[in-house]
Amino acid sequence: MRAAGVQALGAPLEAMELPEPPGPSADEVLIDVQAAGVGNWDDIVRTGGWDVGIRPPMALGVEAAGVVRVVGRHVTRFVPGDSVMVHSAPLRYQGTWAEQFLADAADVARMPPELDWAVAGALPVPLLTALQVVAATACGPDDIVLVYGAGGVTGGLIVAMAAPTGAKIIATTSAEGTERVRGYGAGEAIDYRDPAWRALAKRASPRGFSIVVNAVRGAAAGLLDLVADGGRLATITGDPPASERGIAITDLYVAPDGGALEAAAAALAARGLSIAIAGTYALAEAASALDQATRGRGGGARVVLPARMNGPSVSREDGG
């Protein structure tokens, strides 16, 4: 099967040919991949910072959407032909940047019919991350929440998952992202490029925020002064600061959960919400997609389409 990955940890990303996956074991699902998300976490896998359970030569990618090809004998939730989405790690065989993906059935979710392939392929990791942040911080109607970095895909989904709890949400984004963040449920959007953004945030919650969520690499420590005494700070970028003033610190890493992914994706679609897609890429263009993702280029998610032949990547806004 055609794939995109690395021959050794730290090596450049390249197109490659890999053996097709074996038939699924009793608890596995074999998926024909239609779209696979690309995130900065994939570069952490490439360089060996995240052990996903396999070794090179390997296809990268830990999230995808596609069509069920074969199910294991103990799998009853899915049948061949079902449209599904998945975040899976550790990997059972190879990553999702390939024509086929073998997954633990417990990690697989039904794909809402309202979503297109590109959105569904890029949604699992950021949506599960957002859902797990809201749960870890016990976000509720008595909270005033600051989401720092809500203009990104994951940050925006954190707003979307926190809004139904009844919490008051203040979000930082660019001026261009204000409408989208408000659509996700933020009561106020602050332009992070404004030199006075911290003063504006403090004005929104003079006694500090009961919850602050950081979605910007390296920024968590600089947000501690915005957290109320005894409040909660969660970061999704692996940079937790030491606690002070009784603040509970959560350093969150996403975990697979097919059932939770299915429910959250259905709820998001029912609200008419989606994510932006900044570009779609053939497998041979995956290196360009990963470079854009790791450099933090905005505009939305990057997606690899394994069925697409080589050609210029497509940039567009999709949904939401």
Side-chain angles (χ1 to χ4, degrees), residues 142-146 168 170 198 201-212 223-232 245 247:
D142 295 329
D143 289 307
I144 304 178
V145 182
L146 174 69
K168 178 182 178 181
I170 313 299
R198 297 180 71 89
K202 290 180 177 179
R203 187 182 305 165
S205 187
R207 296 184 179 181
F209 293 88
S210 57
I211 299 174
V212 172
L223 300 173
L224 269 172
D225 67 308
L226 297 174
V227 186
D229 292 353
R232 291 95 81 195
R245 296 183 287 112
I247 296 170

Side-chain angles (χ1 to χ4, degrees), residues 30-42:
L30 182 60
I31 300 167
D32 288 326
V33 177
Q34 301 298 311
V38 179
N40 56 16
W41 51 83
D42 294 304

Side-chain angles (χ1 to χ4, degrees), residues 70-94:
V70 186
V71 300
R73 66 183 183 277
H74 291 165
V75 177
T76 59
R77 291 185 59 236
F78 306 103
V79 297
D82 282 347
S83 296
V84 297
M85 50 202 298
V86 61
H87 160 54
S88 196
L91 298 172
R92 293 292 179 101
Y93 176 67
Q94 289 288 346

Side-chain angles (χ1 to χ4, degrees), residues 56-123:
M58 67 179 187
L60 296 183
V62 296
E63 63 178 349
V67 178
V68 173
R69 173 181 282 233
V70 186
V71 300
R73 66 183 183 277
H74 291 165
V75 177
T76 59
R77 291 185 59 236
F78 306 103
V79 297
D82 282 347
S83 296
V84 297
M85 50 202 298
V86 61
H87 160 54
S88 196
L91 298 172
R92 293 292 179 101
Y93 176 67
Q94 289 288 346
T96 60
W97 298 0
E99 293 178 298
Q100 297 177 28
F101 180 64
L102 190 65
D104 183 340
D107 299 342
V108 181
R110 294 187 185 279
M111 175 181 153
E114 297 91 341
L115 303 185
D116 68 20
W117 288 119
V119 169
L123 198 58

Side-chain angles (χ1 to χ4, degrees), residues 230-296:
R232 291 95 81 195
L233 184 146
T235 183
I236 63 170
T237 58
D239 54 351
S243 178
E244 62 180 50
R245 296 183 287 112
I247 296 170
I249 307 293
T250 298
D251 183 19
L252 190 131
Y253 290 81
V254 66
D257 188 331
L261 174 60
E262 185 170 312
L268 195 74
R271 292 164 60 193
L273 301 178
S274 185
I275 59 174
I277 301 298
T280 57
Y281 304 76
L283 285 170
E285 303 167 317
S288 176
L290 186 59
D291 177 67
Q292 294 292 310
T294 55
R295 289 201 287 171

